[in-house]
């Protein structure tokens, strides 16, 4: 392989300097807002005191991690975080795929556009408004769901105050809001499939289900694998805003996750080092999951992130 001399490399770069200037802006953004804050991660290993600053605060090593692992809340927040995440991944991941396939199979263009608009619109509703809509739907006083239960002769249920209902309310409301948006990438992948494959399958007498099984799903399999890997790397990151808005003292046993625990310890109780340690633990677990799932995908198939 021919190695370019430094002068030759600089000469080539000077010929298309505009592209490097354009690339410089996102690079600076990443350096300032992604890598810059990593400097403060060291407070997870210190007893941070604002008056002493990061450098002046005493070093305590893994003391905050030990306190977190031995606390009675560790098991609860970890179980709730993993429970909500895996529930959301198990139920919420296939639904956009099925929606994309159903939209792709629809022959009426007006119907197809209407379904896309209806399912896509909730994504643009703000988290606060959407959460309040959900709370109004399930309200014990005047909520449509409780009105239906009462009309059928049942007793009204205060869903948001019952811990056993919290995970389902959170996951299914999230699916309602995001399934249309998440299906767009699958619709794009389906549109890239060679139409001659469908024509050949029709000539061979294949049914719609067989076309979906042997053409659609294999055609979008690389996209499915990539998104599954990315979602696996976010297992520990549960939607903080929606959980905080839905959380109350009555459902705390099911709704308290790592992100809300970090918020409570860090901002409300001013335990900055402890909350940084918990947040760092959360990020490390996400990174490990991302690497492991990527390795599994690479061994089982040809699709992976790296």
């Amino acid at each position: 392989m021919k190695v370019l001399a430094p002068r030759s490399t600089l000469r080539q770069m000077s010929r298309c300097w505009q592209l490097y200037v354009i690339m410089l802006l996102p690079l600076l953004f990443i350096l300032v807002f992604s890598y810059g804050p990593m400097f403060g991660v060291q407070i997870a290993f210190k007893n941070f005191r604002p008056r002493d600053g990061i450098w002046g605060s005493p070093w305590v090593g893994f003391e905050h991690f030990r306190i977190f692992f031995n606390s009675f809340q560790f098991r609860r927040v970890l179980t709730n975080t993993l429970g909500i995440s895996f529930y959301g991944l198990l139920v919420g991941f296939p639904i956009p795929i099925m929606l994309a396939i159903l939209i792709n199979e629809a022959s009426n263009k007006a119907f197809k556009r209407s379904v896309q608009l209806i399912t896509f619109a909730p994504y643009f509703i703000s988290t606060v408004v959407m959460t309040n809509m959900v709370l109004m739907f399930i309200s014990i006083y005047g909520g449509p769901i409780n009105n239906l239960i009462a009309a059928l002769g049942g007793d009204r249920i205060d869903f948001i105050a019952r811990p056993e209902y919290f995970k389902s309310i959170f996951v299914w409301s999230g699916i309602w809001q995001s399934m249309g948006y998440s299906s767009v990438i699958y619709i794009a992948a389906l549109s890239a499939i060679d139409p001659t494959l469908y024509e050949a399958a029709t000539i061979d007498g294949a049914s719609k289900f067989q076309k979906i099984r042997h053409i659609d799903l294999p055609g979008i399999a690389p996209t499915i694998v990539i998104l599954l890997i990315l979602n696996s790397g976010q297992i520990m990151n549960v939607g903080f805003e929606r959980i905080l808005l839905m959380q109350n003292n009555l459902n705390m046993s099911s709704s308290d996750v790592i992100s809300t625990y970090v918020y409570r310890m860090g901002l409300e109780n001013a335990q900055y080092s402890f909350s940084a340690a918990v947040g760092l633990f959360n990020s490390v677990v996400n990174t490990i999951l991302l690497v492991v799932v990527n390795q599994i995908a690479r061994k089982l198939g040809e699709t992976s992130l790296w």
Side-chain angles (χ1 to χ4, degrees):
M1 186 192 316
K2 184 179 179 181
V3 180
L4 295 175
R7 290 185 179 180
S8 178
T9 303
L10 291 174
R11 191 179 302 112
Q12 289 192 359
M13 292 177 63
S14 64
R15 292 174 183 173
C16 49
W17 62 270
Q18 298 91 341
L19 297 177
Y20 289 98
V21 171
I22 294 174
M23 185 178 69
L24 183 63
L25 295 176
L27 182 61
L28 287 175
F29 179 86
I30 292 173
L31 290 175
V32 172
F33 294 101
S34 296
Y35 285 92
M38 288 184 182
F39 171 78
V41 171
Q42 61 181 298
I43 71 172
F45 305 95
K46 293 188 172 186
N47 186 18
F48 177 70
R49 293 187 295 239
R51 68 175 182 272
D52 296 329
I54 295 178
W55 292 113
S57 299
W59 185 271
V60 296
F62 291 94
E63 180 66 18
H64 299 298
F65 295 92
R66 185 189 64 79
I67 294 173
F68 176 56
F69 295 150
N70 292 331
S71 67
F72 73 95
Q73 293 176 316
F74 170 71
R75 182 175 180 180
R76 184 179 75 174
V77 297
L78 183 63
T79 302
N80 289 339
T81 302
L82 293 176
I84 292 175
S85 295
F86 281 113
Y87 183 9
L89 186 63
L90 182 65
V91 178
F93 188 76
I95 288 181
I97 300 173
M98 293 187 287
L99 177 62
I101 292 174
L102 292 174
I103 291 175
N104 186 62
E105 290 294 324
S107 56
N108 190 309
K109 292 185 178 180
F111 175 76
K112 184 184 296 188
R113 286 195 296 266
S114 300
V115 172
Q116 283 185 285
L117 176 62
I118 293 171
T119 56
F120 198 83
Y123 180 79
F124 295 99
I125 302 175
S126 72
T127 302
V128 176
V129 173
M130 192 278 294
T131 303
N132 278 286
M133 290 173 62
V134 172
L135 295 178
M136 289 174 62
F137 290 152
I138 63 176
S139 173
I140 191 173
Y141 303 110
I145 296 178
N146 268 303
N147 287 343
L148 179 61
I149 293 174
L152 295 175
D155 296 329
R156 292 179 178 271
I157 303 172
D158 192 358
F159 290 102
I160 201 62
R162 301 277 290 274
E164 62 269 25
Y165 292 120
F166 182 85
K167 290 183 176 65
S168 294
I169 294 171
F170 178 83
V171 169
W172 286 103
S173 62
I175 292 172
W176 167 63
Q177 185 179 26
S178 63
M179 66 177 180
Y181 177 81
S182 301
S183 68
V184 171
I185 191 168
Y186 297 113
I187 294 173
L190 286 168
S191 66
I193 297 176
D194 189 353
T196 58
L197 296 176
Y198 296 104
E199 295 173 2
T202 302
I203 294 172
D204 292 338
S207 63
K208 284 188 178 294
F209 179 76
Q210 289 172 326
K211 292 177 184 177
I212 292 171
R213 181 181 176 186
H214 297 289
I215 299 176
D216 289 343
L217 291 178
I220 63 175
T223 304
I224 294 174
V225 172
I226 292 297
L227 291 179
L228 181 60
I229 294 172
L230 293 174
N231 286 341
S232 299
Q234 297 293 322
I235 285 291
M236 301 291 285
N237 293 340
V238 184
F240 166 74
E241 296 88 353
R242 287 199 298 123
I243 284 193
L244 192 65
L245 291 169
M246 292 182 179
Q247 195 175 77
N248 57 52
N249 292 330
L250 297 176
N251 61 31
M252 187 68 76
S253 60
S254 287
S255 64
D256 195 20
V257 295
I258 289 179
S259 57
T260 57
Y261 183 69
V262 169
Y263 167 78
R264 193 166 59 253
M265 293 295 104
L267 294 183
E268 294 184 359
N269 297 340
Q271 298 182 23
Y272 304 115
S273 292
F274 180 75
S275 62
V278 178
L280 182 58
F281 162 77
N282 187 68
S283 300
V284 169
V285 173
N286 273 333
T287 304
I288 293 172
L289 287 172
L290 179 64
V291 173
V292 169
V293 174
N294 184 76
Q295 291 296 105
I296 294 173
R298 189 169 63 179
K299 288 184 178 181
L300 297 180
E302 299 179 355
T303 305
S304 63
L305 289 177
W306 66 84

